[in-house]
Amino acid sequence: MKPLSESLMDLATKVKQFEESSAAAREQNRAKLQARREELGATLEHEGNEFETTTAELRQAAQSWWSDTKDALEHQITVMRADFDKWQADIKAQRTEQPAAAAEPAEPATKG
């Protein structure tokens, strides 16, 4: 059997080895965690930039679509107004012709 002091020295050595191993593992885990944190930060920044770019592109596409739609509607309304104005002018012309035609004396029918 070993003397108590030698057993205590062995135990102290094993505890020191365990502490060093534990510290090394803790530091390695801390380094891995930091690397993962940096990776996630970079990914998040990249995704955020990509999201902003996509959002800007979609906003531009929506504005362009709305502008085109508005222009098409305004053109159609202009065409419809022109057709309506022409129709009203035709009706007004017909109404002015009708009283003039009614005011003309009728020619007597000749028997012949």
Side-chain angles (χ1 to χ4, degrees), residues 41-59:
T43 300
L44 186 62
E45 184 176 342
H46 173 73
E47 292 294 325
N49 291 339
E50 194 171 301
F51 178 76
E52 289 295 325
T53 301
T54 302
T55 303
E57 290 171 355
L58 288 174
R59 185 180 304 119

Side-chain angles (χ1 to χ4, degrees), residues 4-49:
L4 182 60
S5 62
E6 193 177 316
S7 293
L8 287 175
M9 289 298 281
D10 287 344
L11 182 60
T13 304
K14 288 182 181 182
V15 168
K16 184 162 179 78
Q17 289 174 350
F18 176 74
E19 287 175 346
E20 289 172 355
S21 173
S22 175
R26 196 170 33 250
E27 188 58 37
Q28 186 178 22
N29 287 340
R30 188 176 292 137
K32 284 181 183 178
L33 181 62
Q34 182 63 30
R36 181 69 176 143
R37 186 179 296 144
E38 289 172 5
E39 180 184 330
L40 288 174
T43 300
L44 186 62
E45 184 176 342
H46 173 73
E47 292 294 325
N49 291 339

Side-chain angles (χ1 to χ4, degrees), residues 34-85:
Q34 182 63 30
R36 181 69 176 143
R37 186 179 296 144
E38 289 172 5
E39 180 184 330
L40 288 174
T43 300
L44 186 62
E45 184 176 342
H46 173 73
E47 292 294 325
N49 291 339
E50 194 171 301
F51 178 76
E52 289 295 325
T53 301
T54 302
T55 303
E57 290 171 355
L58 288 174
R59 185 180 304 119
Q60 179 62 36
Q63 287 173 343
S64 176
W65 173 84
W66 177 245
S67 178
D68 293 346
T69 301
K70 209 167 83 174
D71 290 346
L73 286 172
E74 288 173 355
H75 174 73
Q76 187 63 33
I77 289 171
T78 301
V79 168
M80 290 170 62
R81 282 187 178 146
D83 288 347
F84 182 73
D85 290 344

Side-chain angles (χ1 to χ4, degrees), residues 78-95:
T78 301
V79 168
M80 290 170 62
R81 282 187 178 146
D83 288 347
F84 182 73
D85 290 344
K86 183 181 179 307
W87 178 73
Q88 281 186 326
D90 289 346
I91 288 179
K92 187 175 181 182
Q94 286 176 357
R95 286 183 181 160

